[in-house]
Amino acid sequence: MTNTMQAVVIYGREDYRLEQLPIPVPGPGEALVKVQAVGICASDLKCYHGAHMYWGDGPVPPNVDLQVTPGHEFVGEIVAIDDQGRERWGVDAGDRVVSEQIVPCWKCRYCQRGQYWMCAPHRIYGFRRVVNGAMAEYMIYPADAIVHKVSKDIPAAHAAFAEPLSCALHAVERAQISFGDVVVVAGCGPIGLGMIAGARAKSPAHVIALDLAPAKLDLARACGADIVVNITEENAEQIVRDLTDGYGADVYLEATGHPSAVSQGLNLLRKLGRYVEYGIFANEVSVDWSIISDVKELDVLGAHLGPHCWPTAIKMIESGTLPMDRICTHQLPLNEFQKGLDLVGSGSESVKVSLLPPSSAPE
């Protein structure tokens, strides 16, 4: 093994560079992992383009460090680990592993209460230099990380999908879906498709998928939607009301990050309905709050990361529950990271784009 590796490094808004860096050295209780695949998330794209929530207005970026390596949805093989790491995680060199996207401190109020996904320091891979991400040949899993084994029998890009799927399943759990519910999922990207599969597993009356792209709506059916609506051609609100005797949907899951989807959800829901927001917005979004309060008395819930859902997500992927070959549409070499970002940005050309480091890249 050489002493250097390829890695993507963030220098600023729309200034990501492929560089040659030293291979990191694991400390006590840590693992050195050879990255096999890293997915490009919509949040990666929004960070790249300078979304306010990542960069803010001041000289010091509030949610992303300069000269950090991005990438928070990944899988890899352990190449070096000590006895402390082996005992903590129950893994060994040669194992294929994923790590949850947040590395908790285990000391703050949230961690002490078991709410580790809201950890106050909030060290998420690929946004802070203390937890460099996976757009590199090698990365470190810190001693405080949460690590899960993954089967070696599935493609690396599929295994890396455990991160977005766990996020989607957490949003579904927040929605408290019941038998007989009419559930609407806005957006049929990676998170939305995971929401559809998770919602279907709860056995509601209907899972309705909304999107602009016919191909993605077709994929939504394969993931469990029994009704699909192209919102450029059909009136989603009218379809939902016709299906529910005029009342509206019981649950609305938002996975687009587009401002128009917020008001759409508030209008689609029945009185006392449940709205779950997972999308990340480039800018602030305004709505008529009277719909939430006086008009409908809605439960409006946020969802963040994928706590406690990783084992289920991994099992779903390993069992073939999802049409993973159709979801993981593009795998590119690491040095084509810019092409990968552009593919995600185009919206209609891809579903899940992954980068493969040199030894994993297709011939």
Side-chain angles (χ1 to χ4, degrees), residues 12 19 53-54 64 70 94 132 151 156 166 169 180 194 223 291 299 301 318 350 356:
E19 297 193 335
M53 71 164 288
Y54 296 107
V64 62
N132 269 304
S151 170
S166 70
L169 296 181
C223 290
I291 298 174
D299 288 336
L301 305 166
E318 291 176 342
S350 66
L356 309 182

Side-chain angles (χ1 to χ4, degrees), residues 182-234:
V182 171
V183 180
V184 176
V185 177
C188 297
I191 296 292
L193 294 171
M195 288 176 173
I196 290 164
R200 173 50 59 204
K202 298 289 186 179
S203 299
H206 296 287
V207 178
I208 304 172
L210 311 182
D211 204 279
L212 307 170
K216 290 185 177 180
L217 290 170
D218 184 58
L219 188 50
R221 285 193 183 276
C223 290
D226 58 291
I227 299 172
V228 299
V229 179
N230 187 325
I231 61 173
T232 63
E233 300 173 354
E234 301 173 275

Side-chain angles (χ1 to χ4, degrees), residues 31-34 36 74-78 89 91-92 94-99 141 147-151 159:
L32 177 64
V33 175
K34 175 73 179 77
Q36 296 176 333
F74 49 80
V75 65
E77 179 180 320
I78 297 174
W89 297 322
V91 299
D92 206 343
D95 286 342
R96 176 186 264 188
V97 286
V98 294
S99 176
Y141 286 6
V147 176
H148 306 277
K149 284 186 184 179
V150 186
S151 170

Side-chain angles (χ1 to χ4, degrees), residues 16 39-48 70-72 127 135 341:
Y16 287 25
I40 300 178
C41 177
S43 64
D44 290 320
L45 184 72
K46 288 177 180 177
C47 181
Y48 173 77
H72 60 273
F127 294 97
M135 291 189 189
L341 287 166

